[in-house]
Amino acid sequence: MQTPAIQKSPIDAAVGARLKAARKLAGLSQSTLGGKVGISFQQVQKYEKGFNRIGASRMQQFAEILNVAPSFFFGEGAHAGSELPMLTADELSVIRDYRAIPVRMRPQVRGLLSAMGSSQAVPA
């Protein structure tokens, strides 16, 4: 008798994608994150791919380590059929750098980025 194929829930997959995004944003490897909560990197992989459901207490641990609210895992885009946009290494680096800027200086940085993004491209 064959066992039925494992089917992952779209919600578990969306929650796992948000876990992966938060882990990458924090600059942690799967091994490092797993070590902080006492599980293997393979288990983190299974969570991120949505093959294993994340329990409430484990989700709370992840939230604390990754400095996000537990609701982050269920925020906009964490519903069936949606995916988070994939960020490049450069985009993740910019986000990490932004988070290192003192909060009082962030409005000026956002203004600068906005001005740079909306300006006409000047040929080199």
Side-chain angles (χ1 to χ4, degrees):
M1 179 185 282
Q2 286 186 332
T3 58
I6 297 173
Q7 295 202 2
K8 60 183 177 180
S9 158
I11 294 171
D12 291 337
V15 169
R18 292 183 74 80
L19 172 64
K20 183 176 183 178
R23 176 184 60 78
K24 285 187 167 195
L25 195 58
L28 298 177
S29 68
Q30 290 175 333
S31 295
T32 302
L33 180 59
K36 289 179 179 279
V37 296
I39 60 175
S40 68
F41 81 90
Q42 292 98 332
Q43 183 62 41
V44 174
Q45 253 179 357
K46 289 176 184 179
Y47 286 147
E48 289 182 354
K49 291 181 180 184
F51 287 117
N52 286 6
R53 184 165 292 148
I54 304 172
S57 59
R58 180 77 69 214
M59 192 174 293
Q60 179 65 38
Q61 288 177 304
F62 286 144
E64 289 173 6
I65 292 165
L66 298 171
N67 199 28
V68 297
S71 61
F72 167 83
F73 299 110
F74 298 100
E76 184 180 338
H79 52 80
S82 69
E83 293 184 22
L84 290 176
M86 295 304 296
L87 298 175
T88 67
D90 282 345
E91 290 166 332
L92 287 171
S93 178
V94 168
I95 293 168
R96 278 194 292 273
D97 292 343
Y98 179 81
R99 285 184 166 182
I101 296 170
V103 173
R104 63 178 167 50
M105 295 177 65
R106 289 180 183 178
Q108 292 90 348
V109 172
R110 283 194 308 272
L112 175 63
L113 291 172
S114 179
M116 291 172 67
S118 63
S119 68
Q120 295 289 332
V122 178

